[in-house]
Amino acid sequence: AETAFAAQAFYQAITLYEKAKALEFEDAPKDLEQKIQKSQYAERKQSFSQAYDAAEKALAAKDFYKAITLYEKAKAVGFEDAPKELGEKLDAARYCLSLAQLKNQVTAQNWPSARESFHTAWQAKGETPELVELRKAIPQVKLAFSLPKELIAGIPAKFAVKAVGNEKVYATWEFGDGEKSSEAETTHVYKNVGTVTLKITASDGAYFTDKSK
């Protein structure tokens, strides 16, 4: 285990240290458990660094898809000392990839895909000047809302928003009782009698509509 750790073969070191611990040798070094923890930390750091450094190179080379995959791999390691900007870099890679796809889709007038790419880019960076400009070329989809005429406590109520032409819809419902839903078509049960304000934000991916009742 000591040799494996010195060679930075940390996974092997962990396995061997744990094998040594399992022997329950009465004269085992007192710092054996500490060495296991140190090896586990080093293994996480090594796995993180390999993925993160490769992601940085991919981002610099504008290989955004590869960068996203590697940043996500680095994030999944769960390394406690990961750079704080990891999330920002992942969002930046997602934005750049979606923006590049969006430009191609607008040129090809592939509107369903363009709306989806717009939504992904917007989630990553918000309302950027590039998105505002590209939105001008994207036709807006009409949305139809279906709301219950009355709400009765204890009785399931149906809420829906659909797009004309069966386009994809993104929706966020705020039911006014602390509950939310991100489904375009959903059912909600109000538990208590009272007055609530229902709010919905719906989108075809590029354009947003807010309603309240």
Side-chain angles (χ1 to χ4, degrees):
E2 298 281 87
T3 302
F5 186 89
Q8 297 187 353
F10 301 119
Y11 182 82
Q12 185 181 6
I14 294 167
T15 303
L16 291 169
Y17 278 131
E18 289 179 340
K19 185 177 180 180
K21 181 182 177 181
L23 293 174
E24 298 183 351
F25 178 51
E26 56 269 28
D27 291 328
K30 294 181 179 179
D31 63 348
L32 178 56
E33 184 61 37
Q34 184 180 354
K35 287 187 175 184
I36 292 174
Q37 293 176 359
K38 187 177 179 180
S39 299
Q40 290 170 337
Y41 176 87
E43 198 273 333
R44 289 195 299 275
K45 182 179 180 180
Q46 184 182 65
S47 297
F48 173 84
S49 297
Q50 289 172 347
Y52 185 82
D53 292 347
E56 294 282 85
K57 291 179 182 178
L59 185 63
K62 296 185 178 181
D63 188 344
F64 303 122
Y65 182 82
K66 185 177 180 180
I68 292 168
T69 302
L70 289 167
Y71 278 132
E72 288 178 340
K73 184 178 180 180
K75 185 177 180 181
V77 172
F79 180 50
E80 54 268 43
D81 291 327
K84 293 181 180 179
E85 64 270 17
L86 173 59
E88 294 178 5
K89 290 193 174 186
L90 179 55
D91 282 342
R94 286 171 175 161
Y95 175 79
C96 291
L97 176 62
S98 298
L99 190 66
Q101 292 173 334
L102 176 59
K103 289 177 179 178
N104 292 332
Q105 290 155 355
V106 167
T107 300
Q109 297 187 0
N110 183 350
W111 304 128
S113 295
R115 294 185 188 98
E116 189 170 349
S117 294
F118 188 103
H119 185 73
T120 302
W122 177 84
Q123 282 185 312
K125 282 284 188 177
E127 197 91 341
T128 66
E130 295 100 327
L131 290 180
V132 171
E133 189 62 31
L134 285 165
R135 179 195 277 141
K136 295 176 182 178
I138 303 174
Q140 185 173 5
V141 174
K142 283 189 175 183
L143 301 178
F145 295 84
S146 176
L147 305 175
K149 293 181 179 180
E150 62 177 343
L151 300 172
I152 302 173
I155 304 298
K158 293 182 180 180
F159 304 84
V161 55
K162 295 182 180 181
V164 175
N166 204 31
E167 296 278 356
K168 187 172 182 177
V169 178
Y170 303 88
T172 300
W173 300 88
E174 296 182 34
F175 297 109
D177 59 355
E179 298 293 326
K180 295 182 180 181
S181 173
S182 58
E183 300 293 329
E185 297 183 54
T186 187
T187 300
H188 184 66
V189 178
Y190 287 94
K191 298 177 182 178
N192 302 313
V193 176
T195 302
V196 295
T197 299
L198 172 69
K199 295 181 180 179
I200 176 176
T201 299
S203 172
D204 62 1
Y207 296 88
F208 298 84
T209 301
D210 295 314
K211 283 185 176 291
S212 61
K213 182 178 180 182

